[in-house]
Amino acid sequence: MKKERYLVTSALPYANGPIHLGHIAGAYLPADIFVRYQRLKKQDVVFICGTDEHGVPITITAKNENSTPQQVVDKYYKIQKTSFEQLGISFDNFSRTSYKLHYETSQEFFLTLYNKNYLVEKKIKQFYCTHDKMFLSDRYVEGICPHCHTPGARGDQCEACGKWIEQTTLAEPQCKLCGNAPEIRETKHWFFKFGEFQDRLKKWINGKKDWKENVINFCNGWFNEGLQDRAVTRDLDWGVPVPLDEANGKVLYVWFDAPIGYISSTKEWAQKKGDPDLWKKYWMDKNTKLIHFIGKDNIVFHAIFFPAMLIGCDNYVMPENVPANEFLNIEGSKLSTSKNYAI
């Protein structure tokens, strides 16, 4: 029997709190079972993960703990790594997106897409808090979802309906830090020409006959609405710096750099093995079966957004499957580190 090659990833957990049961049930235990099964069959399999250490969840936790983002991620990386080890989750590498190697890999992706004209600069309207004197990226602002009308929708995505949100369309917006209503100001960002990939992505996804129905249906919902340009930079002081002189301190959107963490973690694994180019065998050889184990709130990023980035940068393997699991709920609400509702 021919030996098959698998690259298996579990969603990178935010380094803003301990691992909870929802994490384990959704993205880590199913992946670990699958990996152990393939190892028993003597297949070539590498199991990759790491902590997601950028974005607003980290900076909000730092403010709440009267700490710095770096102190927060250092603390919770150790806690999470220890938890996975005690549970016996058998990662081949558990990395961090604050490593220099990840910064370099993410910036290379950005520049490749930029030089191929897949990124465009735009001036946009964004919420600004006059009390905290800052633009309110993503989770810094919450309001009522313009699509499903659920309260508590974030400034980038609604967890209730799973749709991306243009933050200025939120009803009754509030600054997450002070509770005040923000005002709208102009700022500049770089946008990924997401729509240029719709036809290729739709054909690719609808050719996947063995994918879970919830993933296919979710993706087709996005295609039916039409993929639009999406901002991939943010006005924050914590994250991967945008590698352009005119960026003026902006950083990459966390959901741009986070999935690249799978690649940088594989690079780190290869370096530890003493063969720095070994990662290419798993990311650039079309015989590799790339499988992402995630929760359902991450479908759009793993089944549409990251694949579009991979297509734009050429040469990378596309996901073989994206098994997305439903949330683990207790008393009708999903477990959440950010909302301090977890076990």
Side-chain angles (χ1 to χ4, degrees), residues 100-164:
K100 179 183 178 184
L101 179 60
H102 176 73
Y103 275 52
E104 293 170 348
T105 305
S106 299
Q107 290 172 333
E108 286 172 7
F109 253 77
F110 182 93
L111 289 173
T112 298
L113 295 172
Y114 178 79
N115 291 329
K116 295 175 74 171
N117 296 316
Y118 287 130
L119 297 177
V120 59
E121 180 184 325
K122 294 184 183 181
K123 289 184 178 179
I124 62 168
K125 304 292 186 181
Q126 189 174 336
F127 284 132
Y128 182 89
C129 180
T130 55
H131 178 270
D132 293 297
K133 295 181 173 54
M134 60 184 289
F135 281 102
L136 301 179
S137 299
D138 306 331
R139 299 188 188 202
Y140 273 120
V141 60
E142 289 187 353
I144 298 173
C145 176
H147 304 289
C148 68
H149 311 296
T150 301
R154 307 193 306 258
D156 62 339
Q157 185 188 21
C158 174
E159 288 194 351
C161 66
K163 291 185 177 180
W164 259 343

Side-chain angles (χ1 to χ4, degrees), residues 16-24 80 328-331 333-343:
N16 67 331
I19 293 297
H20 59 65
L21 294 186
H23 289 131
I24 302 304
Q80 292 185 3
L328 180 63
N329 293 338
I330 294 181
E331 297 179 345
S333 298
K334 87 177 189 77
L335 299 184
S336 169
T337 301
S338 299
K339 295 180 179 178
N340 196 29
Y341 189 77
I343 299 174

Side-chain angles (χ1 to χ4, degrees), residues 272-285:
K272 290 178 179 177
K273 298 279 285 186
D275 186 356
D277 288 331
L278 184 59
W279 71 275
K280 295 177 182 178
K281 174 182 174 183
Y282 295 86
W283 280 102
M284 294 184 169
D285 186 326

